[in-house]
Amino acid sequence: MEECLFCRIIRQEIGSEVVAENANAIAIRDINPQAPVHILVIPREHIASLKEITADKCDVITDMVMLINELTVSEGIVQTGFRIVINQGEDGGQEVDHLHFHLLGGRFMRWPPG
Ligand code: AMP
Ligand code: ZN
Protein backbone atom coordinates (compact mmCIF):
# COMPACT_ATOMS: atom_id res chain seq x y z
CA MET A 1 0.00 0.00 0.00
CA GLU A 2 2.99 2.28 -0.65
CA GLU A 3 0.96 4.73 -2.71
CA CYS A 4 -1.84 5.19 -0.19
CA LEU A 5 -1.82 8.84 0.94
CA PHE A 6 -2.90 8.13 4.50
CA CYS A 7 -0.47 5.20 4.89
CA ARG A 8 2.28 7.59 3.79
CA ILE A 9 1.10 10.21 6.30
CA ILE A 10 1.07 7.56 9.07
CA ARG A 11 4.63 6.53 8.10
CA GLN A 12 5.55 10.25 8.27
CA GLU A 13 6.68 10.26 4.65
CA ILE A 14 4.25 13.14 4.13
CA GLY A 15 3.84 15.88 6.74
CA SER A 16 0.60 16.49 8.59
CA GLU A 17 -0.63 18.16 11.75
CA VAL A 18 -1.26 15.29 14.14
CA VAL A 19 -3.66 16.39 16.89
CA ALA A 20 -4.17 13.10 18.75
CA GLU A 21 -3.22 9.46 18.49
CA ASN A 22 -3.59 6.13 20.24
CA ALA A 23 -2.65 2.51 19.62
CA ASN A 24 -4.80 1.96 16.52
CA ALA A 25 -5.62 5.41 15.13
CA ILE A 26 -4.30 8.90 14.48
CA ALA A 27 -6.10 12.22 14.05
CA ILE A 28 -4.82 14.92 11.67
CA ARG A 29 -6.19 18.30 10.59
CA ASP A 30 -7.78 18.19 7.14
CA ILE A 31 -5.65 20.08 4.61
CA ASN A 32 -8.80 21.68 3.11
CA PRO A 33 -11.04 22.36 6.12
CA GLN A 34 -14.79 22.61 5.57
CA ALA A 35 -15.51 23.90 9.09
CA PRO A 36 -13.53 25.65 11.87
CA VAL A 37 -12.82 22.16 13.24
CA HIS A 38 -12.16 19.58 10.53
CA ILE A 39 -10.13 16.60 11.67
CA LEU A 40 -9.61 13.22 10.03
CA VAL A 41 -9.53 10.16 12.31
CA ILE A 42 -7.61 7.43 10.52
CA PRO A 43 -6.81 3.82 11.47
CA ARG A 44 -3.08 3.05 11.43
CA GLU A 45 -3.87 -0.18 9.59
CA HIS A 46 -4.75 0.15 5.91
CA ILE A 47 -8.49 -0.53 5.76
CA ALA A 48 -9.78 0.57 2.35
CA SER A 49 -13.35 1.32 3.38
CA LEU A 50 -16.22 0.55 5.73
CA LYS A 51 -16.94 -2.57 3.66
CA GLU A 52 -13.81 -4.21 5.13
CA ILE A 53 -14.96 -3.85 8.73
CA THR A 54 -15.49 -7.21 10.41
CA ALA A 55 -15.78 -8.23 14.07
CA ASP A 56 -12.02 -8.65 14.42
CA LYS A 57 -11.60 -4.91 13.74
CA CYS A 58 -13.58 -3.83 16.81
CA ASP A 59 -10.42 -2.61 18.62
CA VAL A 60 -9.66 -0.32 15.67
CA ILE A 61 -13.17 1.15 15.59
CA THR A 62 -13.19 1.59 19.37
CA ASP A 63 -9.88 3.48 19.22
CA MET A 64 -11.21 5.70 16.43
CA VAL A 65 -14.27 6.57 18.52
CA MET A 66 -12.11 7.14 21.61
CA LEU A 67 -10.08 9.70 19.65
CA ILE A 68 -13.26 11.46 18.56
CA ASN A 69 -14.40 11.67 22.18
CA GLU A 70 -11.04 13.15 23.23
CA LEU A 71 -11.05 15.62 20.33
CA THR A 72 -14.55 16.96 20.90
CA VAL A 73 -13.38 17.99 24.36
CA SER A 74 -9.95 19.33 23.34
CA GLU A 75 -11.43 21.23 20.35
CA GLY A 76 -14.19 22.74 22.52
CA ILE A 77 -17.13 21.35 20.53
CA VAL A 78 -18.45 18.71 22.89
CA GLN A 79 -21.24 21.02 24.17
CA THR A 80 -22.09 22.85 20.92
CA GLY A 81 -22.20 19.68 18.80
CA PHE A 82 -20.44 18.27 15.81
CA ARG A 83 -20.83 15.92 12.88
CA ILE A 84 -19.07 12.64 12.06
CA VAL A 85 -18.95 11.76 8.34
CA ILE A 86 -17.75 8.79 6.34
CA ASN A 87 -17.69 9.35 2.60
CA GLN A 88 -18.14 5.88 1.11
CA GLY A 89 -17.60 5.08 -2.56
CA GLU A 90 -18.35 7.13 -5.64
CA ASP A 91 -21.74 8.55 -4.65
CA GLY A 92 -20.45 9.20 -1.13
CA GLY A 93 -17.61 11.30 -2.54
CA GLN A 94 -14.77 9.17 -1.14
CA GLU A 95 -11.43 10.47 -2.45
CA VAL A 96 -8.91 8.58 -0.31
CA ASP A 97 -9.32 4.81 -0.25
CA HIS A 98 -8.23 4.41 3.38
CA LEU A 99 -11.06 4.45 5.93
CA HIS A 100 -11.43 7.71 7.88
CA PHE A 101 -13.97 9.62 9.91
CA HIS A 102 -14.33 13.34 9.29
CA LEU A 103 -14.94 15.22 12.55
CA LEU A 104 -16.58 18.56 11.71
CA GLY A 105 -17.58 21.27 14.16
CA GLY A 106 -17.38 24.89 15.20
CA ARG A 107 -20.31 25.99 13.02
CA PHE A 108 -23.93 24.97 12.42
CA MET A 109 -24.16 21.92 10.14
CA ARG A 110 -26.98 22.09 7.61
CA TRP A 111 -29.17 19.11 6.79
CA PRO A 112 -29.43 17.46 4.32
CA PRO A 113 -25.74 17.62 3.34
CA GLY A 114 -24.94 18.50 -0.27
P1 AMP B 1 -12.73 11.74 1.49
O1 AMP B 1 -13.38 12.49 0.38
O2 AMP B 1 -13.71 11.33 2.56
O3 AMP B 1 -11.90 10.58 0.99
O4 AMP B 1 -11.78 12.77 2.22
C1 AMP B 1 -10.42 12.92 2.00
C2 AMP B 1 -9.99 14.12 2.78
O5 AMP B 1 -8.58 14.12 2.89
C3 AMP B 1 -10.40 15.46 2.15
O6 AMP B 1 -11.20 16.19 3.07
C4 AMP B 1 -9.06 16.15 1.90
O7 AMP B 1 -9.11 17.54 2.10
C5 AMP B 1 -8.15 15.45 2.89
N1 AMP B 1 -6.73 15.46 2.54
C6 AMP B 1 -6.17 15.20 1.33
N2 AMP B 1 -4.84 15.27 1.41
C7 AMP B 1 -4.54 15.58 2.70
C8 AMP B 1 -3.32 15.80 3.41
N3 AMP B 1 -2.12 15.70 2.81
N4 AMP B 1 -3.39 16.12 4.73
C9 AMP B 1 -4.59 16.23 5.34
N5 AMP B 1 -5.78 16.02 4.73
C10 AMP B 1 -5.75 15.70 3.42
ZN1 ZN C 1 -3.65 3.30 3.52
Side-chain angles (χ1 to χ4, degrees), residues 5-6 9 14-17 28-34 38 40 42 85-88 92-98 100 102:
L5 173 65
F6 289 168
I9 285 175
I14 295 174
S16 68
E17 185 183 346
I28 65 169
R29 289 210 191 274
D30 197 291
I31 204 168
N32 183 22
Q34 302 300 311
H38 188 172
L40 303 174
I42 308 170
V85 172
I86 295 177
N87 296 323
Q88 171 74 37
Q94 183 176 6
E95 291 175 0
V96 178
D97 290 334
H98 180 136
H100 50 285
H102 294 254

Side-chain angles (χ1 to χ4, degrees), residues 2-54:
E2 285 169 19
E3 300 309 316
C4 172
L5 173 65
F6 289 168
C7 284
R8 295 191 69 194
I9 285 175
I10 287 160
R11 292 199 300 264
Q12 298 184 328
E13 293 170 10
I14 295 174
S16 68
E17 185 183 346
V18 177
V19 284
E21 55 188 319
N22 60 24
N24 289 302
I26 73 163
I28 65 169
R29 289 210 191 274
D30 197 291
I31 204 168
N32 183 22
Q34 302 300 311
V37 175
H38 188 172
I39 292 170
L40 303 174
V41 175
I42 308 170
R44 293 185 190 277
E45 174 186 348
H46 182 86
I47 297 171
S49 80
L50 208 55
K51 287 189 294 188
E52 292 188 10
I53 295 299
T54 47

Side-chain angles (χ1 to χ4, degrees), residues 37-106:
V37 175
H38 188 172
I39 292 170
L40 303 174
V41 175
I42 308 170
R44 293 185 190 277
E45 174 186 348
H46 182 86
I47 297 171
S49 80
L50 208 55
K51 287 189 294 188
E52 292 188 10
I53 295 299
T54 47
D56 62 316
K57 304 286 188 219
C58 65
D59 286 356
V60 175
I61 299 301
T62 300
D63 272 4
M64 292 173 76
V65 173
M66 296 298 287
L67 277 193
I68 287 170
N69 284 341
E70 279 178 39
L71 287 160
T72 58
V73 174
S74 61
E75 296 291 319
I77 56 174
V78 68
Q79 301 295 344
T80 47
F82 51 88
R83 185 167 290 170
I84 307 298
V85 172
I86 295 177
N87 296 323
Q88 171 74 37
E90 190 178 345
D91 279 358
Q94 183 176 6
E95 291 175 0
V96 178
D97 290 334
H98 180 136
L99 179 66
H100 50 285
F101 293 141
H102 294 254
L103 169 61
L104 296 149

